[in-house]
Amino acid sequence: DAMVIQNPRYQVTQFGKPVTLSCSQTLNHNVMYWYQQKSSQAPKLLFHYYDKDFNNEADTPDNFQSRRPNTSFCFLDIRSPGLGDAAMYLCATSSGVTGGADTQYFGPGTRLTVL
Amino acid sequence: TQLLEQSPQFLSIQEGENLTVYCNSSSVFSSLQWYRQEPGEGPVLLVTVVTGGEVKKLKRLTFQFGDARKDSSLHITAAQPGDTGLYLCAGDTGTASKLTFGTGTRLQVTL
């Protein structure tokens, strides 16, 4: 059974047209992450939520925003997509345990195309 | 800045061959995860290693965590086309709930 679900799997948007990607989880994990992954590269962390606490990476553009209305759902909003934002967007979750193995579980990703 | 270097970056082998992928860092990690990612999909967790010197086996895959918890290796015996994918190691420092990802190893296994 899917534990981290991302919708849609494929999203096409126009240059400058806002787009929202969604992620839900059935693991009841405290932490939810958004990553951007470009071709054959490692995932790049954009931000994460520990419960309701939002943690932005220093190099994440202001164009990227996130919302976590409850434990299960997290959204990635791209306010004005540019051609360089075309990528795979990955959502992940973890329990948030410290001092040990805080394994992250990934969703299948949303492939974003910007025309 | 913590870095995880993976080697090799690319590997193309024939079915039945053995291979080893290395993941090295100068930083100590409280745990390390290995993922396999197929094109168009998210990374799928293969294993988490926690204890220095730990060895875990998953069918034909053998994972080892270095004694000092700074490095890890993945050994595949008798590779099959289904092993094709991007292999990523990722280290957890035990704080801040963030992973440091390795640079990735793209494996292609042909018939």
Side-chain angles (χ1 to χ4, degrees), chain A residues 9 33 35 37 40 42-43 45 48 50 57 88 90 96 98-108, chain B residues 30-31 33 35 37 40-43 45 48 50 86 88 92 94-99 101-103 106:
Chain A
R9 293 293 314 275
Y33 308 80
Y35 289 88
Q37 187 180 31
S40 297
L45 182 64
H48 73 280
Y50 196 116
E57 292 302 295
M88 173 75 90
L90 297 165
T98 56
D102 191 22
T103 299
Q104 291 189 19
Y105 298 89
F106 284 82
Chain B
S30 62
S31 69
Q33 288 127 50
Y35 296 88
Q37 186 177 21
E41 300 293 331
L45 179 70
T48 299
V50 179
L86 178 67
L88 293 162
D92 174 14
T95 61
S97 297
K98 295 200 292 188
L99 290 178
F101 274 91
T103 46
R106 184 160 293 282

Side-chain angles (χ1 to χ4, degrees), chain A residues 74-87:
Chain A
C74 196
F75 300 98
L76 169 62
D77 300 310
I78 308 177
R79 294 194 294 186
S80 181
L83 297 179
D85 297 328

Side-chain angles (χ1 to χ4, degrees), chain B residues 1-21:
Chain B
T1 304
Q2 298 159 334
L3 290 173
L4 269 172
E5 295 288 338
Q6 284 185 238
S7 61
Q9 276 189 293
F10 302 98
L11 193 54
S12 181
I13 61 172
Q14 290 189 321
E15 183 179 21
E17 292 185 35
N18 302 331
L19 67 117
T20 302
V21 178

Side-chain angles (χ1 to χ4, degrees), chain A residues 3-55:
Chain A
M3 297 181 290
V4 183
I5 302 161
Q6 290 188 244
N7 285 304
R9 293 293 314 275
Y10 301 92
Q11 176 74 56
V12 179
T13 190
Q14 291 180 334
F15 182 94
K17 184 174 181 181
V19 66
T20 295
L21 309 181
S22 73
C23 176
S24 63
Q25 54 133 340
T26 60
L27 298 163
N28 202 33
H29 277 169
N30 292 318
V31 193
M32 295 188 76
Y33 308 80
W34 279 105
Y35 289 88
Q36 180 192 66
Q37 187 180 31
K38 298 195 173 178
S39 182
S40 297
Q41 296 180 17
K44 178 182 182 298
L45 182 64
L46 295 173
F47 26 58
H48 73 280
Y49 275 95
Y50 196 116
D51 290 332
K52 295 181 180 180
D53 294 334
F54 178 69
N55 298 272

